[in-house]
Amino acid sequence: MTPMSDYNAPDSHAWLESLDDPAAAAWVAGQNARAQALLDADPRFAGLRDEILAHLRDTRQIPFCAEHDGWLYNFHQDAAHPRGIYRRSTLAAYRAAEQDWQTVLDIDALADEAGEDWYLDGVSHCTLAPLQAMVHLTAGGGDAGIAREYDLAAGAWRPDGFSFPEGKSHVAWRDPDSAWACPGWPGAPLTRAGYPREVWLVERGEEGRHAWSQVFAASEDAMMVAAWRFLDADGATLDLIECSDSFYSKTYHLIDEALETHALPLPPKAELEAYLHGDLIVKLAEDWDAAGARYPAGALLAVALEPLRQGRIDAQLLVAPQPRLAVESVETTRASVVVNLLDQVKSRLLAFDKVDGVWRERALPTPSGGVIEFADQPWDSDILCYSFSDFLTPTGLYRLDVASGQQECLRRQPEAFDPADFVAEQWQARAPDGESIPYFVVRRRDAPLDGATPTLLYGYGGFEVPMMPYYVENFGPHWLQRGGAFALACIRGGGEFGPGWHQAAQGVNRQVGFDDFIAVAEDMVARGLTAPAKLGIEGGSNGGLLVGACMTQRPELFGAVVCEVPLLDMLRYTELLAGASWIDEYGDPEDPAQRPALEAYSPYHRLRGDLAYPLALFTTSAKDDRVHPAHARKMVARMQELGHDALLLETEAGGHSGNAGQEQTAQELARVLVYLYQRLMD
């Protein structure tokens, strides 16, 4: 038997970590050519790509908007504007589905004028002067970008406007003439993870000569800092710094009028979600003993700010944790706090109103049985816009008056396929430790449970991110209607059921999440839905680590593996780009007490020459400045060195989140589908 890799041996593929080595670039080009020869030459590829692109460009798709001072702003891409335009319309025209849009920012024109490969990473309007916008642009779709002030009324960069160089910075408006800046550009003091560690107040000066005042500096061992301003409903302001000592441990600092900072006595594992009526809305990730009371992990609290300034705790419990319930997100309107709860991985909304100093709960009339996501909350109003969908129900965009409970459906996404022949069910698998692991299955109603259904299982299982039902607009017509089934696993490590569900597979306990995912796969086989030769798995980023680990641990269980922008070398991940910021999530390979756990599952190091692995497809981006493309590169090189075939597709643009044009998006999805057809259906 060939032994597993020697963890301490020199890494013979370390040269693939270079992003400017011509030899590495040539190797990647050769791998791309191999994969494209297999996938693009398939007679189904071109038609799939064109159909997906046409769907992306369908003008009936919901244009999600952010409302500022009566205008609805939307980012739009089409054939004429591949990088996209930022445009606006009125609510009346939007309701009437009129294509009455005014272009206020043309990203293609900006990129051409500057000679840069720019993509839009966001537009931040100044709340009190919404025609002043901070435009965030990124080269090639990476995380690092520039921030520059744009005058939407004049349709031009503001001559005396703010401008911040390229970096992983945090920039936020303070008022129309000042901003909080946390520098992440070259030359600025950075943390070990490569993120900002200083907070500066930048005040507007004539002809761009702005005044910079340093307010705060974290230690180099911290993970990052960020700063922003809250505006309360009565016009009061609250300036805060969030200093993350690690990914899940942070301290909040209040900035007073003299620019002095004061740490707030909140527990380190708590998330500040909102500020309204003088109260901080805080979600706990650990138990908190305060003022003679114990508040459990997973609870949502309203904590009065004024007593907190003086070191006293005056808290009200808004949501208590329950075994299969979690606070997914929080939003505030002018009068209310709105909480989006996940109950058995399905959404429901609660509103909380402060009456005579006490927060009182009431339910909101929203659709049930699917997933709600907040889309917009116009400033100084009681309006909340949200989307609702499930696997078989196209997304609807709703406009809810939280005060009155009245709502309307503004838009509904067109049906991509007829759902009548399909059913979406929630099943349960049993993990090795006895825990019940929920997962969703979308399949044809009349499909026999004979093990013959090609099935794709998707998962993530990390960073307390929940996997929730969503409309399968592309997989519906191109996978379900071709006889396939789709499954979504809600494994530990995710956020489906609160902090305990996440922490069960955190750090040295990471294997728990992999065991959960394998248990789901085995359960589908045991039920007769599919068979190993018909079962594919897919995941991206942390989900790429998930499917990479499961492939190396149980290669006989899967017929296909789609491993996207993954982490795979878990003994060097802290040395690659932003990896050091995730030590809280995975553990530290330099810590002798934690290293054995990472060694045991690191996919790159578990590869063996005497096992048969499915032909896996690994994807990454040369512009991914979050998870280094070397993870996927080295995995493929190591597999091929051991005599196993593997496919690599590395794009030039898109970054970690796929922030590129629609043509690239359609091309990438078409290749994944062709790969799945070849492996599971042909």
Side-chain angles (χ1 to χ4, degrees), residues 360 416 435:
R360 302 188 185 280
E435 183 65 73

Side-chain angles (χ1 to χ4, degrees), residues 126-410:
C126 180
T127 301
L128 300 180
L131 291 180
Q132 293 176 220
M134 203 76 72
V135 177
H136 301 265
L137 298 167
T138 174
D143 286 355
I146 68 165
R148 191 173 175 188
E149 187 177 356
Y150 196 85
D151 185 333
L152 293 173
W157 299 115
R158 181 165 171 164
D160 65 341
F162 298 114
S163 182
F164 303 96
E166 185 177 40
K168 295 184 180 181
S169 308
H170 174 85
V171 176
W173 287 104
R174 179 174 177 263
D175 60 32
D177 290 310
S178 64
W180 295 116
C182 304
W185 46 80
L190 303 178
T191 65
R192 176 190 171 191
Y195 289 109
R197 54 184 288 247
E198 294 183 347
V199 177
W200 294 73
L201 174 63
V202 188
E203 298 176 282
R204 192 185 307 280
E206 294 182 359
E207 298 180 357
R209 292 190 293 270
H210 309 310
W212 288 66
S213 303
Q214 185 173 346
V215 177
F216 182 84
S219 72
E220 189 175 350
D221 292 334
M223 193 192 85
M224 67 184 304
V225 296
W228 62 90
R229 165 165 283 188
F230 282 111
L231 295 174
D232 205 347
D234 61 2
T237 62
L238 175 65
D239 292 308
L240 280 177
I241 295 169
E242 179 184 275
C243 179
S244 298
D245 300 311
S246 62
F247 205 93
Y248 299 109
S249 180
K250 59 192 65 176
T251 305
Y252 290 97
H253 300 261
L254 178 68
I255 309 172
D256 65 20
E257 293 182 357
L259 300 185
E260 298 292 329
T261 62
H262 311 272
L264 295 176
L266 293 169
K269 292 186 178 179
E271 195 75 29
L272 179 53
E273 299 283 353
Y275 173 61
L276 188 65
H277 301 322
D279 285 356
L280 302 176
I281 309 303
V282 178
K283 184 169 69 171
L284 301 180
E286 62 182 355
D287 294 347
W288 185 30
D289 293 314
R294 164 159 285 197
Y295 300 103
L300 188 70
L301 307 178
V303 182
L305 177 61
E306 284 308 313
L308 198 64
R309 292 177 192 263
Q310 303 163 28
R312 295 186 294 107
I313 308 300
D314 180 3
Q316 297 180 49
L317 179 66
L318 301 184
V319 178
Q322 299 177 30
R324 295 268 157 159
L325 180 143
V327 174
E328 201 280 322
S329 53
V330 177
E331 184 58 270
T332 59
T333 67
R334 179 170 47 201
S336 306
V337 173
V338 182
V339 181
N340 186 1
L341 293 177
L342 275 185
D343 191 345
Q344 297 286 355
V345 205
K346 296 175 183 177
S347 297
R348 58 184 174 94
L349 297 188
L350 296 177
F352 291 87
D353 308 303
K354 199 171 186 181
V355 181
D356 298 328
V358 178
W359 290 95
R360 302 188 185 280
E361 173 191 322
R362 61 186 168 93
L364 289 171
T366 55
S368 60
V371 167
I372 289 171
E373 295 185 76
F374 294 143
D376 185 39
Q377 199 288 303
W379 162 247
D380 198 26
S381 78
D382 286 311
I383 298 300
L384 178 65
C385 295
Y386 68 88
S387 65
F388 174 86
S389 67
D390 59 35
F391 288 115
L392 301 175
T393 303
T395 302
L397 177 63
Y398 293 80
R399 184 179 175 90
L400 169 68
D401 187 319
V402 175
S404 68
Q406 295 182 337
Q407 67 177 326
E408 60 178 316
C409 182
L410 289 175

